[in-house]
Amino acid sequence: NFENPHGLHDPNHYSTAEDLAKLAVFAYRNDLIREIIQKRNYIIPPTNIKKEERYLNNSNRLLYAVGYGNQVLIDGFYVDIKYEGATGMKTGYTPEAQSTFIGSAERGDISLISVVLDGYVTNVYSDTIKLLNHGFKNFTKIELIGDKTYYKNTKIENATIKEMPLITKDGLSVLIENGMDDKITEDVSLYSLVPPIKKDTVVGYIE
């Protein structure tokens, strides 16, 4: 039996891969967090408590591990754990949870995050690489509508002009599975409009 001196394990404390993915996506939007999780190492300077420098090394092998002892089997070939475009994110281990890993990578305009639980050291990396490969191979980022873009004109009853142009406030891009473009539908809803209508008034929305 193992004893956890840090008290991390609690039989009533549990989570899912989806929970951790949601937290990871939220954290990844923070510029400082993205900067920290990509660092290979860091030196903590002396403080009023610790007089010596302290050296920290990132244990995330997705960022740097190459060569013998740092390879995993992917589709019948041994490849380096170091992953093209890797940006983070977080390793974890307790005797009860085993190895866990949140991986992240960017290629072009696509950012992906994967979560692997209940594994062994190299298994979490091979599973992460397979998940990221699947995402980059099978999904594409597309712009559904542009930012501050002319959409169409709409008629306004009892107005001095016959039609009013509609301009988007924000754009919208989505990650979509390849070949699913024909599943996209568009629905426009306009509010009841009564003149006068001031510039930049929100007049409806697109789903």
Side-chain angles (χ1 to χ4, degrees):
N1 293 331
F2 291 95
E3 192 173 272
N4 188 340
H6 305 293
L8 291 175
H9 181 71
D10 187 314
N12 295 314
H13 179 194
Y14 57 90
S15 189
T16 67
E18 183 178 9
D19 292 334
L20 294 174
K22 289 177 180 178
L23 288 170
V25 168
F26 184 82
Y28 198 80
R29 291 174 178 152
N30 183 287
D31 293 340
L32 180 58
I33 289 177
R34 283 202 311 277
E35 179 184 344
I36 291 171
I37 61 177
Q38 294 184 57
K39 287 186 179 295
R40 176 67 185 87
N41 46 53
Y42 183 72
I43 300 175
I44 302 177
T47 69
N48 61 328
I49 304 296
K50 296 282 187 179
K51 301 304 180 185
E52 304 84 19
E53 291 181 335
R54 284 167 287 169
Y55 296 83
L56 303 179
N57 292 313
N58 195 333
S59 60
N60 179 2
R61 293 206 272 171
L62 207 67
L63 297 171
Y64 61 84
V66 297
Y68 181 76
N70 288 305
Q71 294 185 322
V72 289
L73 190 62
I74 305 291
D75 298 328
F77 297 93
Y78 281 98
V79 301
D80 290 331
I81 292 175
K82 182 179 180 180
Y83 191 77
E84 179 190 347
T87 56
M89 190 167 190
K90 181 71 178 75
T91 61
Y93 174 82
T94 66
E96 297 85 2
Q98 296 297 303
S99 290
T100 60
F101 184 63
I102 300 174
S104 61
E106 293 183 3
R107 290 182 183 176
D109 58 355
I110 295 179
S111 300
L112 299 178
I113 288 175
S114 65
V115 178
V116 177
L117 304 179
D118 190 26
Y120 295 97
V121 175
T122 54
N123 292 142
V124 296
Y125 288 113
S126 59
D127 287 346
T128 294
I129 290 171
K130 289 174 184 176
L131 286 168
L132 294 174
N133 283 348
H134 175 79
F136 285 120
K137 179 180 178 182
N138 295 291
F139 289 81
T140 304
K141 188 175 183 179
I142 63 170
E143 184 179 65
L144 293 177
I145 196 161
D147 178 44
K148 295 178 175 58
T149 302
Y150 169 76
Y151 181 67
K152 70 174 185 178
N153 287 353
T154 185
K155 293 183 178 180
I156 305 295
E157 296 295 331
N158 303 316
T160 54
I161 58 173
K162 292 183 179 181
E163 293 184 332
M164 178 180 69
L166 299 178
I167 308 294
T168 59
K169 181 179 179 183
D170 300 304
L172 178 62
S173 296
V174 295
L175 203 63
I176 188 169
E177 189 171 0
N178 297 341
M180 298 294 285
D181 304 52
D182 59 345
K183 302 295 182 183
I184 298 172
T185 59
E186 182 181 287
D187 187 32
V188 181
S189 297
L190 297 178
Y191 305 139
S192 297
L193 303 175
V194 178
I197 301 169
K198 295 181 180 180
K199 181 184 177 183
D200 296 331
T201 298
V202 177
V203 296
Y205 60 92
I206 306 173
E207 290 183 310

